[in-house]
Amino acid sequence: MTQFLPPNLLALFAPRDPIPYLPPLEKLPHEKHHNQPYCGIAPYIREFEDPRDAPPPTRAETREERMERKRREKIERRQQEVETELKMWDPHNDPNAQGDAFKTLFVARVNYDTTESKLRREFEVYGPIKRIHMVYSKRSGKPRGYAFIEYEHERDMHSAYKHADGKKIDGRRVLVDVERGRTVKGWRPRRLGGGLGGTRRGGADVNIRHSGRDDTSRYDERDRDRDRERERRERSRERDKERERRRSRSRDRRRRSRSRDKEERRRSRERSKDKDRDRKRRSSRSRERARRERERKEELRSGGGGGDMAEPSEAGDAPPDDGPPGELGPDGPDGPEEKGRDRERERRRSHRSERERRRDRDRERDREHKRGERGGERGREEARGGAGGGGQDNGLEGLGGDGRDMYMESEGGDGYLAPENGYLMEAAPE
């Protein structure tokens, strides 16, 4: 397979040259004998320099010390330059300072895009202008942001000095002042350590944020107003926070009160429901007791009350007490009383279906009795209307034919009219 590979690939599989044979060494390097053995530095101490003749060690300068040194050197160099320029500065012999100094107005903080014609239009409202000199940089030729305006009359310059300060031109408020270089004795410009304002006095604790012709009077008052406004806003925020806290507490109290009222109403509803439930339960129990009592009376009447068992009295409907359930009667467990009770139980079981049929007949009779009462009321009303109210009503005249027949049948038959509710009841069998 390899014989089919090209020569460049076969060269990769070619074996390397055999390792040349070298005769073995007589001794290894560490076994060889050195003529001069190793030794310490004690023999060379006499060659060292005497410590008393050595110069003192030099202390290296730290980074902070180097920066402080450069800052001092820069300040000293700037002071020397200012002193040199101050000796050469003479505003009265300046070729650029022309015209009357008492008619010249100084305008600073001018927008760099503002032109001379724009300044003329803005300041001509105070009086006619004689000359406008805008200052440009000597190196770049760009405007420096201030200019000198000379009026034809001094009163116009005073008017502009009073009313033009803070005027907005091209989006910037300019600062207006008189020319102080030729009018104020000992005046120095800002580049020579003078000028108005305190923005370059020192650190942040000494400098002020704004500078102007009033130096500190106006801007200090503005700072005081700003501080008062800041304090007022802080007090207002505190009052708002306190008011919000009171409102939140009031909302929490109202919420808790509503929850308590809701809980109280819920409990009241539950109590009322419990009362209604108890009332219904008591009424159902009373109805059940009444029903059971009626059934017991019916059973007693249907079972023959004259023999073995007596009819319960009106004072107490409970059956006679036969004593505790574990005790025997006077005649023993097989006495006549026990036999009578057994017979009564058998009779009740045999007559249960008959009682049900009798109950159905009683219900039918109750419905017929009610219909008869309604017919009797209509008959009494007709009798009153026909006889003029004469005669005595015994409660039976208003009954219709069906009612009288029913009443006579009930009198002549086995049933009787109960005195307490007017229902027809069957007499107890003999």
Side-chain angles (χ1 to χ4, degrees), residues 276-329:
D276 295 340
R277 196 180 299 111
D278 295 341
R279 192 180 302 111
K280 290 178 181 179
R281 191 181 294 113
R282 286 195 298 270
S283 62
S284 64
R285 287 176 181 174
S286 62
R287 287 194 299 270
E288 185 67 22
R289 283 196 298 270
R291 186 181 63 78
R292 290 176 182 175
E293 191 65 29
R294 286 196 301 271
E295 290 179 357
R296 188 169 57 253
K297 289 180 180 180
E298 291 176 1
E299 291 175 359
L300 292 175
R301 292 192 187 97
S302 63
D308 298 331
M309 297 185 64
E311 184 179 356
S313 62
E314 296 181 0
D317 296 336
D321 189 8
D322 294 337
E327 297 181 1
L328 298 174

Side-chain angles (χ1 to χ4, degrees), residues 375-395:
E377 290 177 359
R378 287 195 297 270
R380 282 194 296 271
E381 290 177 359
E382 292 175 0
R384 289 194 193 97
Q392 185 178 358
D393 187 8
N394 54 3

Side-chain angles (χ1 to χ4, degrees), residues 57-326:
T58 57
R59 182 178 176 275
E61 188 180 22
T62 62
R63 180 174 179 272
E64 289 78 9
E65 293 175 350
R66 183 171 62 255
M67 293 176 62
E68 183 64 23
R69 177 177 56 80
K70 290 182 178 181
R71 190 181 65 82
R72 284 197 308 270
E73 292 176 357
K74 184 176 180 180
I75 291 175
E76 292 175 0
R77 188 167 55 252
R78 179 57 185 166
Q79 287 178 354
Q80 293 176 2
E81 293 176 359
V82 167
E83 290 176 359
T84 304
E85 293 180 2
L86 191 59
K87 291 177 182 178
M88 299 173 58
W89 183 68
D90 187 7
H92 297 281
N93 298 326
D94 189 1
N96 295 324
Q98 300 175 1
D100 190 356
F102 294 96
K103 298 179 182 179
T104 304
L105 189 71
F106 172 73
V107 183
R109 302 177 186 173
V110 181
N111 194 333
Y112 296 132
D113 298 331
T114 303
T115 59
E116 183 177 341
S117 59
K118 178 70 173 179
L119 281 179
R120 184 178 294 275
R121 286 196 303 271
E122 293 292 339
F123 284 91
E124 270 183 345
V125 296
Y126 305 106
I129 295 175
K130 184 178 180 181
R131 187 178 69 92
I132 295 179
H133 175 66
M134 296 189 69
V135 182
Y136 295 89
S137 176
K138 294 180 180 179
R139 290 180 295 180
S140 61
K142 295 181 180 180
R144 297 289 302 276
Y146 63 94
F148 294 92
I149 300 176
E150 183 182 358
Y151 283 91
E152 293 183 359
H153 306 286
E154 187 176 352
R155 62 176 180 273
D156 299 334
M157 189 274 295
H158 286 294
S159 177
Y161 174 81
K162 290 180 180 179
H163 301 97
D165 188 32
K167 189 174 184 179
K168 184 177 285 189
I169 301 175
D170 291 338
R172 293 192 65 180
R173 296 191 181 277
V174 298
L175 185 143
V176 176
D177 194 10
V178 296
E179 183 187 346
R180 295 178 182 267
R182 294 183 293 172
T183 58
V184 179
K185 187 177 180 179
W187 173 259
R188 291 185 297 176
R190 174 62 64 85
R191 60 185 176 85
L192 298 179
L196 289 180
T199 57
R200 301 183 185 179
R201 291 175 181 173
D205 55 341
V206 181
N207 292 342
I208 62 175
R209 296 182 59 185
H210 305 280
S211 63
R213 67 188 188 187
D214 295 336
D215 196 8
T216 58
S217 60
R218 179 176 62 179
Y219 295 104
D220 289 350
E221 184 66 26
R222 185 181 300 174
D223 293 338
R224 286 193 294 270
D225 294 341
R226 190 181 298 108
D227 295 338
R228 285 195 294 268
E229 181 68 19
R230 189 183 302 109
E231 292 176 359
R232 187 186 64 79
R233 287 197 298 268
E234 290 178 358
R235 288 195 300 270
S236 176
R237 283 195 294 268
E238 291 295 332
R239 286 195 298 269
D240 294 340
K241 289 180 181 178
E242 183 64 25
R243 191 179 301 111
E244 185 62 27
R245 283 194 292 268
R246 288 198 298 269
R247 289 177 181 174
S248 64
R249 287 196 294 268
S250 177
R251 285 195 296 269
D252 294 340
R253 285 196 297 269
R254 288 197 298 270
R255 192 180 299 112
R256 287 194 295 269
S257 177
R258 286 196 296 268
S259 63
R260 284 196 299 269
D261 296 342
K262 187 182 296 183
E263 184 67 21
E264 187 64 27
R265 288 195 297 271
R266 187 182 64 79
R267 292 177 182 175
S268 173
R269 286 195 299 269
E270 289 180 356
R271 286 195 295 269
S272 62
K273 289 180 181 178
D274 294 341
K275 290 179 181 179
D276 295 340
R277 196 180 299 111
D278 295 341
R279 192 180 302 111
K280 290 178 181 179
R281 191 181 294 113
R282 286 195 298 270
S283 62
S284 64
R285 287 176 181 174
S286 62
R287 287 194 299 270
E288 185 67 22
R289 283 196 298 270
R291 186 181 63 78
R292 290 176 182 175
E293 191 65 29
R294 286 196 301 271
E295 290 179 357
R296 188 169 57 253
K297 289 180 180 180
E298 291 176 1
E299 291 175 359
L300 292 175
R301 292 192 187 97
S302 63
D308 298 331
M309 297 185 64
E311 184 179 356
S313 62
E314 296 181 0
D317 296 336
D321 189 8
D322 294 337

Side-chain angles (χ1 to χ4, degrees), residues 358-373:
R358 192 181 297 115
R359 190 180 298 115
D360 296 337
R361 288 197 300 271
D362 293 342
R363 291 173 183 170
E364 186 65 26
R365 289 173 184 175
D366 291 341
R367 286 195 291 270
E368 293 176 358
H369 180 68
K370 289 179 181 179
R371 286 197 295 269
E373 286 183 353

